[in-house]
Amino acid sequence: MSLVSFVKIQEDTINSFKKAIIDSLDLIGYSFTKGTENVVIKPNMCYYWDYTTGETTDPRFVAALIEVIREKFSPRTNISIVESDASAMKCKYAFKMLGYEKLSQDYKVNLVNLSEDTTKTVEAYAGGYKLKLQIPQTIQNADLKINIPKIKYSVPKVKMTCALKNIFGCNPYAKKFKYHSRIGEVIVAINKALKFDLCIMDGNIVSGVQPRRLGLLMASKDPVAIDAAAAKIAGINPKTIRYLQLAAKEGLGTTKFIQKGIPIDYFKAMYPRKGIQNKLMKQAYELIVTMGLNKKLGLP
Amino acid sequence: MQKVGLGIIGLGYIGKLHLKHSLKLPNVNLVAVSDLSKRALKEAKNAGIKKTFTNYEQLLHEPNIDAVIIALPTHLHLQCAIQAAEAGKHIFLEKPIARNPEEAKGIVTAAHKNSVKLMMGYPLRFNKSFRELKTKMESGTLGDVEIAYATFISSGPFFHRAESHTPLPVPKWWFNRDLTGGGALIDVGSHIINLFRWYFGEITHIKSHLGYRFNLDFEDSAICFAKFESGTTAVITAGWFLQGYQLKVEFFGTVDHAFAQHRPSNRLVAATQMLTTGMSDFHRPHFDELHYFANCLLKDSSPSPTGEDGLKDLEAICQAYQNSICLD
């Protein structure tokens, strides 16, 4: 079983984020390896929605992590914040709009659009699916790769996303919608190919059915365990999430975890979960979509 | 019934909405559409439009077209409007009229010179609540409107999270101030400037405070303080930062207070409205303005808001940009 820590972020400040990061890593017994020179941080950027929506990683959270890394290693540690273009999002604008360009200037860290990086082609497999993947050089050269995801409800097929899905964003190919028919296999295959070392989940503000300040920070070395914990917080049984089960089967981690820190139920109680009203509305709308009426009516 | 032969130039979000409405209008015969996107043209063909062009100049040569809707990015308005006027086509032009007053003057002049009618697309003037508010104000039941507030804050050209888990890309031109002429103020603020000029007459003074939350080179929020000929002082708030849509107007008169709003229904209510009436209440003003435009052409009357209105709105907006104050 893997360790997952649950820490409460006390205040909305960089210092408070920093303390929570240090505490969460202590709880899982994580120690930074000496000699680390190149660190890659993968925040979650989703479209142009800023951190107040709970959809994207707060740049102040990343700033706090940069401070921790530089204190643990050296002030000269080379840090790259990475993201790639997506079907509807261009990094060029997202970096600027979501506050990462300013962060990069203030903290002297690299901002890398993986879609413009040099790449190496590899083949990755999951659930019988073969994926030809371009691995960006910045990720290949990293000594330490840190994943900073968000918990989110997703399309019915996926249900919920967190750490594993965030790494899907390291695929430099921009038109990612082409993978949507085999999304579970692709998420797992990419994670197998890129293998991030550490997940620190920014749950200060979560999106849920509506954004809420939850003040949660989770850390784990196991992305499957952290996703299983995230699913429980969001009120979803991890066993019903297909890609999570596949990830466990493919050896990326385990859905069974040992809780460290504040009990998970504390955050579970506060998470803005789907209620009966949302479920009924969703089902009614899904019926409209199934009948193909949404297109006729000009609805999304 | 006599019908206006119509062409639509530009099938982005608003162009597609006009296409849908044009097909339902009893006084319009939608002859052709043009857009660079082959996908958009295919969709139009599937909707029953026989003639589609990737080059709008070809559309302007169509003899059966009396008028065109120009729903192109703002930087393309001038050239397209001049060509349409020279081709003798009446023009329904989406707001803002242009990027700057010089271009706007070029458009107004071209329409006059070629004796074509030019109407600006400002659907709020066709919104029932906003029309009722005008009637109420003019009837004297509010007294003198001393202070007016307006708020138009939405997600602008960006999708908001309630709309879709999988948003569509934002066209590149929206990120380039040189192509748009500005941000939230010229985009959504122009609706309010136009509406308030309709209510209170010309603007005599205007100042603004502009916000740049998203670190772009154009504003994503603006608060304008405007004084009108009528003596009313207005606070106009425009923004692109909200995960949602809020459009409200509130008047404080010497006798009474009144307000009006325009808001989208949730998807289920909208679907029910579409099934029962063929249109959501939210989009009805767009339908009504087009219906009115076609009627004006058929009756040979002058449609309003005019190109001059578009120019005056833009002049006020440019003045607000010039007179921006910094509170930081």
Side-chain angles (χ1 to χ4, degrees):
Chain A
M1 282 208 277
S2 301
L3 299 181
V4 178
S5 59
F6 300 82
V7 172
K8 172 86 179 150
I9 299 167
Q10 295 300 339
E11 286 170 20
D12 215 18
T13 61
I14 290 184
N15 280 342
S16 192
F17 292 150
K18 225 172 128 177
K19 185 178 180 312
I21 291 169
I22 293 167
D23 290 350
S24 70
L25 296 181
D26 286 346
L27 283 166
I28 58 165
Y30 185 85
S31 53
F32 288 96
T33 318
K34 288 212 169 124
T36 299
E37 287 174 0
N38 292 307
V39 179
V40 155
I41 297 175
K42 169 67 176 76
N44 189 326
M45 292 187 208
C46 176
Y47 195 56
Y48 306 115
W49 295 321
D50 79 4
Y51 71 92
T52 57
T53 63
E55 297 279 349
T56 51
T57 306
D58 188 338
R60 296 170 307 164
F61 190 96
V62 179
L65 178 62
I66 292 167
E67 287 188 14
V68 172
I69 290 168
R70 288 203 164 138
E71 280 167 19
K72 297 282 178 191
F73 297 129
S74 141
R76 288 181 302 280
T77 307
N78 183 38
I79 298 174
S80 301
I81 298 170
V82 302
E83 185 52 271
S84 66
D85 289 339
S87 306
M89 181 195 86
K90 295 276 166 274
C91 283
K92 184 181 162 185
Y93 305 123
F95 284 155
K96 206 181 254 255
M97 290 180 70
L98 303 180
Y100 283 87
E101 204 169 272
K102 188 170 183 306
L103 175 81
S104 150
Q105 288 158 3
D106 292 349
Y107 282 83
K108 310 271 180 293
V109 293
N110 313 310
L111 217 46
V112 182
N113 177 357
L114 298 174
S115 300
E116 294 171 355
D117 205 4
T118 313
T119 58
K120 183 179 91 180
T121 309
V122 296
E123 283 181 351
Y125 300 86
Y129 179 75
K130 185 172 88 175
L131 173 73
K132 256 198 178 165
L133 177 68
Q134 304 295 317
I135 299 191
Q137 196 169 35
T138 307
I139 294 182
Q140 290 170 49
N141 295 344
D143 310 314
L144 174 64
K145 291 171 278 190
I146 306 174
N147 180 2
I148 316 186
K150 301 289 296 180
I151 309 183
K152 284 182 244 181
Y153 285 128
S154 187
V155 291
K157 205 172 168 185
V158 179
K159 291 188 182 177
M160 187 244 31
T161 63
C162 192
L164 291 163
K165 169 67 166 50
N166 192 33
I167 301 309
F168 178 68
C170 289
N171 181 353
Y173 185 70
K175 293 177 180 170
K176 294 184 175 65
F177 60 81
K178 90 164 191 185
Y179 301 111
H180 281 188
S181 61
R182 299 296 295 268
I183 186 78
E185 288 86 351
V186 174
I187 289 173
V188 175
I190 290 175
N191 275 275
K192 280 174 72 182
L194 299 183
K195 284 210 176 90
F196 269 58
D197 305 289
L198 178 64
C199 305
I200 307 175
M201 206 280 299
D202 165 18
N204 187 39
I205 298 174
V206 291
S207 59
V209 288
Q210 62 192 31
R212 183 173 296 169
R213 189 173 182 277
L214 191 62
L216 164 66
L217 189 149
M218 287 197 290
S220 182
K221 286 188 269 186
D222 180 342
V224 182
I226 212 165
D227 276 12
K232 284 189 173 172
I233 288 171
I236 299 171
N237 182 348
K239 285 182 185 160
T240 66
I241 303 174
R242 212 181 64 84
Y243 78 88
L244 211 51
Q245 296 304 315
L246 179 64
K249 202 173 147 193
E250 294 276 349
L252 280 171
T254 167
T255 54
K256 289 178 185 148
F257 57 90
I258 298 167
Q259 295 177 44
K260 291 281 178 180
I262 293 175
I264 190 170
D265 287 345
Y266 171 80
F267 296 105
K268 203 174 160 183
M270 291 201 302
Y271 192 83
R273 273 189 270 171
K274 287 178 178 167
I276 289 174
Q277 199 191 350
N278 305 105
K279 282 180 184 164
L280 287 174
M281 291 281 277
K282 200 174 149 238
Q283 279 172 3
Y285 193 72
E286 274 170 16
L287 184 67
I288 290 173
V289 174
T290 312
M291 291 163 73
L293 283 173
N294 60 320
K295 283 186 181 157
K296 282 184 190 162
L297 299 174
L299 296 166
Chain B
M1 188 187 180
Q2 216 190 335
K3 290 186 177 191
V4 170
L6 190 69
I8 298 177
I9 301 173
L11 291 175
Y13 169 78
I14 199 73
K16 281 181 184 158
L17 189 68
H18 287 313
L19 185 153
K20 212 162 75 177
H21 290 164
S22 302
L23 292 170
K24 288 180 183 160
L25 279 167
N27 56 357
V28 162
N29 174 28
L30 183 54
V31 177
V33 295
S34 84
D35 197 277
L36 289 175
S37 158
K38 288 188 175 146
R39 191 176 165 182
L41 294 181
K42 197 179 164 197
E43 281 171 17
K45 270 216 158 116
N46 291 340
I49 313 302
K50 291 198 178 77
K51 291 184 178 174
T52 60
F53 303 101
T54 48
N55 181 345
Y56 71 76
E57 289 176 11
Q58 286 174 285
L59 180 146
L60 293 175
H61 286 125
E62 279 296 312
N64 295 336
I65 290 181
D66 307 303
V68 290
I69 293 175
I70 300 177
L72 292 171
T74 314
H75 64 287
L76 302 174
H77 283 191
L78 176 66
Q79 194 190 343
C80 183
I82 290 176
Q83 285 178 279
E86 286 174 350
K89 312 295 184 195
H90 301 294
I91 301 165
F92 179 96
L93 180 58
E94 272 304 326
K95 63 84 220 169
I97 185 168
R99 292 175 290 183
N100 53 58
E102 289 66 41
E103 286 186 349
K105 281 173 194 161
I107 292 171
V108 172
T109 307
H112 279 303
K113 205 169 130 189
N114 294 286
S115 304
V116 298
K117 298 184 197 299
L118 168 61
M119 177 178 163
M120 293 303 305
Y122 280 118
L124 296 188
R125 288 198 185 193
F126 296 85
N127 176 295
K128 198 177 155 211
S129 316
F130 294 136
R131 292 181 83 85
E132 283 170 1
L133 193 61
K134 185 169 167 65
T135 310
K136 203 169 190 179
M137 188 182 76
E138 286 171 351
S139 72
T141 55
L142 300 179
D144 287 343
V145 177
E146 274 298 297
I147 295 175
Y149 292 102
T151 302
F152 193 167
I153 301 179
S154 68
S155 54
F158 309 104
F159 272 70
H160 59 79
R161 62 188 283 280
E163 270 181 303
S164 175
H165 274 297
T166 48
L168 293 172
V170 179
K172 255 202 282 188
W173 68 276
W174 275 108
F175 290 100
N176 187 342
R177 197 187 201 286
D178 292 340
L179 305 185
T180 57
L185 178 57
I186 197 168
D187 179 38
V188 290
S190 60
H191 281 287
I192 302 295
I193 299 273
N194 182 269
L195 188 72
F196 274 19
R197 283 186 49 255
W198 188 47
Y199 287 148
F200 308 121
E202 296 309 326
I203 292 172
T204 55
H205 295 93
I206 189 164
K207 281 185 191 291
S208 71
H209 171 263
L210 307 173
Y212 298 87
R213 180 184 174 87
F214 294 124
N215 313 306
L216 296 166
D217 62 355
F218 45 83
E219 79 288 355
D220 42 58
S221 69
I223 302 173
C224 295
F225 307 93
K227 190 85 184 169
F228 287 82
E229 273 177 348
S230 63
T232 304
T233 305
V235 181
I236 296 165
T237 315
W240 271 356
F241 54 84
L242 183 71
Q243 296 290 315
Y245 184 102
Q246 283 295 329
L247 172 48
K248 287 179 193 164
V249 168
E250 192 168 20
F251 291 173
F252 291 88
T254 50
V255 177
D256 206 355
H257 152 267
F259 77 95
Q261 62 180 340
H262 179 59
R263 56 190 302 185
S265 313
N266 75 43
R267 286 191 290 186
L268 275 185
V269 175
T272 312
Q273 287 167 351
M274 297 283 282
L275 285 169
T276 51
T277 67
M279 190 178 309
S280 71
D281 286 353
F282 185 68
H283 289 134
R284 188 162 291 281
H286 289 91
F287 179 86
D288 289 344
E289 69 173 347
L290 220 48
H291 187 249
Y292 161 83
F293 173 64
N295 265 347
C296 287
L297 300 186
L298 293 171
K299 291 177 186 164
D300 196 24
S301 60
S302 301
S304 171
T306 62
E308 283 82 357
D309 282 319
L311 169 61
K312 282 180 182 166
D313 299 335
L314 191 56
E315 282 173 339
I317 288 162
C318 290
Q319 221 182 328
Y321 280 137
Q322 280 163 16
N323 295 342
S324 68
I325 52 170
C326 185
L327 300 176
D328 298 327

